[in-house]
Amino acid sequence: MDPLFELDITVSDSRTRTLVEIFSQAIKVAIQEKRLVDGYKMPSSREFSRIKKVSRNTIIAVYDELCVTGYLETITGKGTFVKTQKQSQIVINKTQQKSRLATYWNNLNNDDILPKQTMRTYDFSVGIPNTAQFPFDVWRRVVNKATRLQYLNHTKAAPQQGLVDLRQGIVNHLSYSRAISSSFEHVCITSGAQQALDLICKLLITPKQTKVAMESPGYPMAKHLFKMHRAKIIYVDVDEQGMCIDQIPNDVALIYTTPSHQFPTGVAMSLERRRQLLHLANKHNISIIEDDYDSEFRLSSTPIDALKSLDTSQNVFYVGTFSKCMFPDIRLGFCVLPPWAIEAFCNAKLLTDWHNSVLLQTALFLFISEGHLIKHIRKMRKCYQERYQAICQQINLHCAEYLTPTNVFSGVHLSVKVVEHINAFTLANTLQEQGITVSSITHFENDINAQNSLVLGYGNITVEEIKSAVRLIEKTLKSMNKTIGILDSNKSPHQ
Amino acid sequence: MDPLFELDITVSDSRTRTLVEIFSQAIKVAIQEKRLVDGYKMPSSREFSRIKKVSRNTIIAVYDELCVTGYLETITGKGTFVKTQKQSQIVINKTQQKSRLATYWNNLNNDDILPKQTMRTYDFSVGIPNTAQFPFDVWRRVVNKATRLQYLNHTKAAPQQGLVDLRQGIVNHLSYSRAISSSFEHVCITSGAQQALDLICKLLITPKQTKVAMESPGYPMAKHLFKMHRAKIIYVDVDEQGMCIDQIPNDVALIYTTPSHQFPTGVAMSLERRRQLLHLANKHNISIIEDDYDSEFRLSSTPIDALKSLDTSQNVFYVGTFSKCMFPDIRLGFCVLPPWAIEAFCNAKLLTDWHNSVLLQTALFLFISEGHLIKHIRKMRKCYQERYQAICQQINLHCAEYLTPTNVFSGVHLSVKVVEHINAFTLANTLQEQGITVSSITHFENDINAQNSLVLGYGNITVEEIKSAVRLIEKTLKSMNKTIGILDSNKSPHQ
């Protein structure tokens, strides 16, 4: 809409001032006040005179005057534009102002939070699902249906906890996909899993006091969130059975874990460890966050129970998301809450952002209830199984000397152990130069003790691409191995 | 989708077990594991036998066995259902678990945050815009268009700061609607104004240390947010010129204010106070949150500059929302940031919920760029002007003896002073019983010094309804006045 329409040009005092004066003044003020921005294209004099019902000659005279006084400029063949106005620069001490930020922010480097993943020819990015096969046509239909319902319900207040229908849909979905028995009263809709974590932090963390245990290597977005909330983080090792529960001190208030598909190693927590974890929580009054971000994609035939299914003492906050099983932009997730935390969690949601878009919640509900979610999950499960198997097969076929894939129970990425004498971090960076997007564990957790492993996501790479990419990896490994061999033989005489 | 399809019923070991045994066992386990929930309707034996490719008699025998063992029940004429399973009850100390919550939550009563507003015949609810006249047909069209673009862009990463196009659209909109000169680089999209406030708190509040000044009476959702972040709140009086700046101590780090349309009194901050506030901030290194929630609806002809327009020293966080000028479920707002806070704010957004739905952002961008927003605002401005004038006129006509409306500069509610001997809180509660949804200032701020005023929103009430409602208010006032008169004359002899 044209900002000129917004200008109040009052012609009532035209007895003492000419029309040209009145119009020039009004436009000048509008430019000074930035109502008309730099570079804004003015209407043609003909159009302007028609809109404002004055003669065209008046407007031509107005434009002339404003060009002379430097407010407008005419570019031949293009039109008349608002000229860029020089602003008086004020000297401000930005460093001093920056010191107003709470400590965490002043020590944070933008790159600290997540490694940059640039999409290259072969994309093993982590955390990206296969959206190429998502039924966007169906999604468009349910969104359209939801906008119709939105009109009918526009006066209804939205509950902060989320739409009951959607929550019931999630309960049903969890009951058969993850064997979690719950009720819609225990579920709260959130803006993805990340917001669920933020709200739990708001509930349970007393700054500089509360101890939180998490896996190391672990999910960086959780780690930074705990740091932002000023928790004391206790890092716990991960082995082939998952989180090493016996390393967790008794005085932590909260344990964050990704048991189905540990981030980033991909291992599943053994049943023994799960029992041990729940026992510990129950004994020492500890809350657990179970982040089950991509467990829908079971790759093996044996299901592993969720901690939530095994939890009989209401210590587990089960966090799930639709970003992975649908597409990231859905921005909807949920938390299945222990009963004692429901009221506080919903109030935290209210104070944080009221509630999620009912439009999107309705669309998601329709998508689930019409059976599209389970259909898509089943399709993706098959797709990810094929890709996972292709990676393992190709690596065993071509790179067995250097690389060992780990078994994963579910999900959209795996970690691959790199032979000791080749540094996985260097390898990943070299592969990136070769056109392969890939990370090492060190990209997620800068820890000297971190496993020497690559992390390969397979959401955005086809089986054919996997084959070509592994050949390229093989070539790179051989070349690196040679260089290291030369370096080693060069080095030895000097040692 | 039918959870039965999900059941792995492996018939391969059928040499040692009968088919009936295998199927019964699989369904039994599914019920125990809650994969099949209580009350779930089983498919007919005919359908089931077709799906699983076994004889119908087998399924009939399976159902019979499971009915006998108490897992299923057949209701004549309705079908076969999963029987409600008794669960072993575990004794859990909910009180002890509740004590895990951070202090703020244990002291919070659910009703503390916002007064309940039940919609009655005449609705003077505060904070609700006129959505009856919102062009939902246009909205549906732009959402539909946005879903098509979503498909095309599904692999693109979304910036946490928000879509550039939308941010540019907001900059243009602010430039002519609020004379704020800005750049899209300074704007971050948020989930409504509330999330912008939460993110600013995350940036600037060090728990138990940072002092925040806010108006009293003030916006309860901001007050509770500051409490949740454990700020020390300094309450500052509001008079007919707005926030009393000289009451603000020099050592606050943050000042929260609603200058265009003070919440809930509705007064606009005078230019002198605005200058005084900015001077104070500049002198003592204080940040300001300008919550400009419904300033688009200018009711008088004289525009008042935003603090942000006058701020030459980059102290102001300008917070805006589309909940009021469009409809609450849009769940999109924004913050215009001082340059020193941009990076931290965007990182806080990332850690809180990654980014807002690109689908909704695109739809909003289309809505703004096609000119629908400014068109709707202009229509609503006229509508609210009429309603505001109707309230003032009707009150002056019928209730002048008891009520005095305050002047408001913009927005969708006003406050009305009640004559001293009638308590506004009691009056509001009495009116609610009469079918009028209305609050008093005390409903928002339980302060003994609070103005004796009603707060009337006019987003959801027509001019005709206003006329009838004011007649009812007149009747109630006269009756209350009489009762008080009788009480007074009753009292006097005993005193």
Side-chain angles (χ1 to χ4, degrees):
Chain A
M1 192 55 162
D2 200 313
L4 270 177
F5 285 91
E6 276 291 288
L7 289 188
D8 273 333
I9 305 187
T10 319
V11 193
S12 60
D13 57 351
S14 57
R15 265 169 275 168
T16 50
R17 295 160 68 207
T18 66
L19 271 176
V20 175
E21 276 171 6
I22 293 166
F23 273 80
S24 301
Q25 180 62 17
I27 295 170
K28 210 165 90 179
V29 170
I31 293 171
Q32 285 169 342
E33 287 181 343
K34 296 278 169 193
R35 280 170 210 267
L36 294 174
V37 289
D38 296 345
Y40 171 76
K41 190 182 177 186
M42 299 293 287
S44 69
S45 54
R46 188 189 305 275
E47 202 187 335
F48 201 175
S49 67
R50 193 181 48 77
I51 296 165
K52 293 292 180 181
K53 298 187 184 77
V54 290
S55 85
R56 200 179 153 201
N57 283 338
T58 305
I59 301 301
I60 291 173
V62 168
Y63 279 14
D64 279 351
E65 191 190 306
L66 291 170
C67 282
V68 169
T69 47
Y71 284 94
L72 298 179
E73 61 184 336
T74 301
I75 300 171
T76 321
K78 291 196 168 171
T80 304
F81 299 85
V82 172
K83 202 171 169 184
T84 306
Q85 303 296 306
K86 276 187 195 141
Q87 286 199 301
S88 56
Q89 284 299 317
I90 292 133
V91 183
I92 293 153
N93 191 337
K94 199 176 161 183
T95 319
Q96 199 204 348
Q97 286 185 318
K98 249 196 145 166
S99 72
R100 295 181 197 175
L101 297 171
T103 332
Y104 170 75
W105 304 105
N106 273 309
N107 301 333
L108 181 71
N109 184 315
N110 208 352
D111 299 333
D112 286 349
I113 300 179
L114 277 177
K116 291 270 173 298
Q117 297 187 129
T118 318
M119 223 212 280
R120 294 185 171 78
T121 316
Y122 302 111
D123 188 12
F124 287 111
S125 287
V126 175
I128 297 175
N130 175 357
T131 50
Q133 283 172 267
F134 183 78
F136 279 103
D137 52 337
V138 174
W139 176 246
R140 194 158 93 212
R141 191 174 52 69
V142 294
V143 170
N144 201 342
K145 198 165 166 187
T147 53
R148 280 200 296 276
L149 295 168
Q150 187 179 29
Y151 170 65
L152 296 173
N153 295 320
H154 67 92
T155 54
K156 275 193 196 160
Q160 66 235 49
Q161 197 168 350
L163 285 191
V164 172
D165 281 349
L166 174 59
R167 288 188 276 145
Q168 188 58 55
I170 289 171
V171 166
N172 294 345
H173 177 69
L174 287 177
S175 110
Y176 52 85
S177 78
R178 298 294 290 132
I180 291 172
S181 157
S182 180
S183 139
F184 73 90
E185 287 157 328
H186 295 186
V187 176
C188 182
I189 306 296
T190 59
S191 306
Q194 191 67 22
Q195 189 184 47
L197 301 184
D198 184 48
L199 297 176
I200 296 169
C201 287
K202 284 175 173 169
L203 253 57
L204 299 182
I205 293 177
T206 301
K208 294 185 172 180
Q209 194 176 312
T210 305
K211 288 187 186 170
V212 178
M214 68 175 290
E215 295 146 349
S216 174
Y219 184 47
M221 290 288 286
K223 183 175 71 181
H224 277 277
L225 190 68
F226 297 140
K227 281 188 180 175
M228 187 183 82
H229 283 279
R230 301 169 181 85
K232 295 182 179 173
I233 306 181
I234 315 287
Y235 296 98
V236 178
D237 288 342
V238 175
D239 64 16
E240 64 286 345
Q241 283 199 68
M243 194 179 202
C244 298
I245 306 302
D246 45 17
Q247 286 181 17
I248 303 174
N250 297 340
D251 63 344
V252 300
L254 185 60
I255 300 168
Y256 171 82
T257 178
T258 47
S260 298
H261 187 226
Q262 204 275 331
F263 193 96
T265 65
V267 300
M269 194 186 283
S270 68
L271 188 60
E272 200 191 316
R273 289 274 171 87
R274 284 168 198 252
R275 293 234 164 91
Q276 200 186 340
L277 174 58
L278 290 168
H279 180 74
L280 180 80
N282 201 18
K283 198 169 162 193
H284 298 289
N285 207 24
I286 302 170
S287 303
I288 298 172
I289 302 177
E290 174 174 32
D291 187 346
D292 217 31
Y293 61 104
D294 62 2
S295 60
E296 290 91 349
F297 307 117
R298 212 172 69 206
L299 302 173
S300 74
S301 57
T302 356
I304 299 187
D305 282 329
L307 285 172
K308 188 75 189 172
S309 316
L310 302 167
D311 173 38
T312 47
S313 323
Q314 303 174 345
N315 292 312
V316 176
F317 290 74
Y318 179 90
V319 171
T321 180
F322 295 97
S323 308
K324 300 288 182 289
C325 62
M326 289 177 66
F327 54 91
D329 190 48
I330 182 102
R331 304 309 316 126
L332 287 172
F334 59 89
C335 187
V336 186
L337 295 153
W340 53 271
I342 295 171
E343 191 187 342
F345 191 92
C346 296
N347 280 329
K349 173 71 184 166
L350 178 72
L351 287 176
T352 299
D353 64 1
W354 289 88
H355 60 82
N356 281 100
S357 157
V358 174
L359 173 63
L360 291 181
Q361 289 187 68
T362 308
L364 177 57
F365 161 68
L366 294 171
F367 191 82
I368 295 176
S369 68
E370 292 179 7
H372 306 295
L373 179 64
I374 193 69
K375 201 170 151 191
H376 181 62
I377 287 178
R378 203 162 311 123
K379 198 162 115 191
M380 287 304 101
R381 200 181 278 171
K382 197 160 163 279
C383 159
Y384 294 145
Q385 260 166 354
E386 284 167 6
R387 292 178 182 182
Y388 168 66
Q389 282 160 7
I391 292 175
C392 294
Q393 278 169 4
Q394 292 300 312
I395 286 182
N396 290 336
L397 211 60
H398 301 288
C399 316
E401 216 179 314
Y402 309 101
L403 304 179
T404 317
T406 54
N407 281 324
V408 301
F409 153 69
S410 66
V412 196
H413 75 261
L414 82 162
S415 70
V416 174
K417 276 189 193 152
V418 181
V419 75
E420 214 178 311
H421 68 274
I422 293 177
N423 181 288
F425 184 77
T426 318
L427 173 60
N429 291 341
T430 312
L431 289 173
Q432 282 176 29
E433 287 161 23
Q434 306 282 328
I436 301 180
T437 309
V438 64
S439 318
S440 72
I441 291 212
T442 323
H443 280 93
F444 294 100
E445 187 88 54
N446 195 1
D447 177 1
I448 199 158
N449 297 317
Q451 275 174 32
N452 193 40
S453 297
L454 294 180
V455 187
L456 305 183
Y458 38 87
N460 197 27
I461 190 162
T462 64
V463 169
E464 281 315 303
E465 287 168 343
I466 288 169
K467 286 180 184 166
S468 314
V470 173
R471 291 297 179 92
L472 197 53
I473 295 175
E474 181 192 11
K475 225 175 101 184
T476 310
L477 278 166
K478 283 190 172 154
S479 136
M480 279 179 86
N481 193 45
K482 220 171 176 178
T483 321
I484 292 163
I486 294 164
L487 284 176
D488 280 352
S489 53
N490 280 351
K491 263 185 203 165
S492 28
H494 300 284
Q495 278 172 349
Chain B
M1 192 56 160
D2 200 312
L4 270 176
F5 286 91
E6 277 292 288
L7 289 187
D8 274 333
I9 305 188
T10 319
V11 192
S12 60
D13 60 349
S14 59
R15 266 170 276 167
T16 50
R17 294 160 69 206
T18 65
L19 272 177
V20 175
E21 276 170 5
I22 292 167
F23 272 81
S24 300
Q25 180 62 17
I27 294 171
K28 209 165 91 179
V29 169
I31 293 171
Q32 284 168 342
E33 287 179 343
K34 297 279 169 192
R35 280 169 210 269
L36 295 174
V37 289
D38 296 346
Y40 171 78
K41 190 183 176 184
M42 299 295 286
S44 68
S45 52
R46 186 188 306 275
E47 202 187 333
F48 200 174
S49 67
R50 191 180 50 75
I51 297 165
K52 294 290 179 184
K53 298 189 183 78
V54 291
S55 84
R56 200 178 154 202
N57 283 337
T58 305
I59 300 301
I60 291 173
V62 168
Y63 279 14
D64 278 351
E65 192 191 304
L66 290 170
C67 282
V68 169
T69 48
Y71 284 93
L72 298 180
E73 60 184 335
T74 301
I75 301 172
T76 322
K78 291 198 170 171
T80 305
F81 299 85
V82 172
K83 203 170 167 183
T84 306
Q85 302 296 306
K86 275 187 198 143
Q87 287 198 302
S88 56
Q89 285 299 316
I90 292 131
V91 183
I92 292 154
N93 192 336
K94 199 176 160 184
T95 319
Q96 199 203 345
Q97 287 184 317
K98 250 197 142 165
S99 72
R100 295 180 196 176
L101 297 172
T103 332
Y104 170 75
W105 303 105
N106 273 309
N107 301 332
L108 181 71
N109 185 314
N110 209 352
D111 300 332
D112 285 350
I113 301 180
L114 278 177
K116 292 269 172 299
Q117 297 188 130
T118 317
M119 223 210 280
R120 293 185 171 80
T121 316
Y122 302 111
D123 188 13
F124 287 111
S125 287
V126 175
I128 297 175
N130 176 357
T131 50
Q133 284 173 266
F134 183 78
F136 279 104
D137 51 337
V138 174
W139 176 245
R140 194 158 94 211
R141 191 174 54 68
V142 294
V143 170
N144 202 341
K145 199 166 167 186
T147 52
R148 280 199 299 274
L149 295 169
Q150 187 179 29
Y151 170 66
L152 296 173
N153 296 320
H154 68 90
T155 55
K156 276 194 197 159
Q160 66 237 46
Q161 197 168 350
L163 285 191
V164 172
D165 281 348
L166 175 59
R167 288 188 277 144
Q168 188 57 56
I170 289 172
V171 166
N172 295 344
H173 178 68
L174 286 178
S175 111
Y176 53 85
S177 78
R178 296 294 289 131
I180 290 172
S181 157
S182 180
S183 140
F184 73 91
E185 288 158 329
H186 295 186
V187 176
C188 182
I189 306 296
T190 59
S191 307
Q194 190 67 21
Q195 189 185 46
L197 301 184
D198 184 47
L199 297 176
I200 297 169
C201 288
K202 283 175 173 169
L203 253 57
L204 299 181
I205 293 177
T206 301
K208 292 186 173 179
Q209 194 176 310
T210 306
K211 286 186 187 172
V212 178
M214 69 174 289
E215 297 146 349
S216 173
Y219 184 48
M221 290 289 285
K223 181 175 74 182
H224 277 277
L225 191 68
F226 297 139
K227 281 188 182 177
M228 186 183 83
H229 283 278
R230 301 168 182 84
K232 293 180 179 174
I233 306 181
I234 315 286
Y235 296 98
V236 177
D237 287 342
V238 176
D239 63 17
E240 65 285 347
Q241 283 199 67
M243 194 179 201
C244 298
I245 307 302
D246 46 16
Q247 287 182 17
I248 303 174
N250 297 339
D251 64 343
V252 299
L254 184 61
I255 300 168
Y256 171 80
T257 177
T258 47
S260 298
H261 188 224
Q262 204 274 332
F263 192 95
T265 65
V267 299
M269 194 186 282
S270 68
L271 187 61
E272 200 191 313
R273 289 275 172 87
R274 282 167 199 252
R275 294 233 163 92
Q276 199 187 341
L277 175 58
L278 290 167
H279 179 76
L280 180 81
N282 202 18
K283 197 169 164 192
H284 299 289
N285 207 24
I286 302 169
S287 304
I288 298 171
I289 303 176
E290 175 175 30
D291 187 346
D292 217 32
Y293 61 105
D294 62 2
S295 60
E296 291 92 350
F297 307 118
R298 212 171 70 206
L299 302 173
S300 73
S301 57
T302 354
I304 298 188
D305 283 330
L307 285 171
K308 187 76 189 170
S309 317
L310 301 168
D311 173 36
T312 48
S313 323
Q314 302 174 346
N315 292 311
V316 175
F317 291 75
Y318 179 91
V319 172
T321 179
F322 295 97
S323 307
K324 299 288 183 289
C325 62
M326 290 177 66
F327 53 91
D329 190 48
I330 182 102
R331 303 312 312 128
L332 288 172
F334 59 89
C335 187
V336 185
L337 295 153
W340 54 270
I342 295 171
E343 191 188 342
F345 191 93
C346 296
N347 280 329
K349 173 70 184 167
L350 178 73
L351 288 176
T352 300
D353 64 2
W354 289 88
H355 60 83
N356 281 99
S357 158
V358 174
L359 173 64
L360 291 181
Q361 289 187 69
T362 308
L364 177 56
F365 161 68
L366 294 171
F367 192 81
I368 295 177
S369 67
E370 292 179 6
H372 305 296
L373 180 63
I374 192 69
K375 200 169 151 192
H376 181 62
I377 287 179
R378 203 161 312 125
K379 196 162 116 192
M380 287 304 102
R381 201 180 279 172
K382 196 159 163 278
C383 159
Y384 295 146
Q385 260 166 354
E386 284 167 5
R387 292 178 182 183
Y388 169 66
Q389 281 161 7
I391 292 175
C392 295
Q393 277 167 4
Q394 293 299 312
I395 286 182
N396 290 336
L397 210 61
H398 300 290
C399 315
E401 214 178 315
Y402 309 101
L403 304 179
T404 317
T406 54
N407 281 324
V408 303
F409 153 70
S410 67
V412 196
H413 74 261
L414 81 161
S415 70
V416 174
K417 277 189 192 152
V418 180
V419 75
E420 211 178 312
H421 69 275
I422 294 177
N423 181 287
F425 184 78
T426 317
L427 173 60
N429 292 341
T430 312
L431 289 173
Q432 282 176 30
E433 286 162 24
Q434 305 283 327
I436 300 179
T437 309
V438 64
S439 317
S440 72
I441 291 210
T442 322
H443 280 93
F444 294 100
E445 188 88 54
N446 195 1
D447 177 1
I448 199 159
N449 297 318
Q451 275 174 30
N452 193 42
S453 297
L454 295 179
V455 188
L456 305 184
Y458 38 87
N460 198 27
I461 190 162
T462 63
V463 169
E464 281 314 304
E465 286 168 342
I466 288 169
K467 286 181 185 167
S468 314
V470 173
R471 291 297 180 92
L472 198 52
I473 294 174
E474 182 193 9
K475 223 175 103 183
T476 311
L477 277 165
K478 284 191 172 157
S479 137
M480 279 178 85
N481 194 44
K482 217 171 177 180
T483 321
I484 292 162
I486 293 165
L487 284 176
D488 281 353
S489 56
N490 279 352
K491 265 184 201 163
S492 29
H494 300 285
Q495 277 172 349

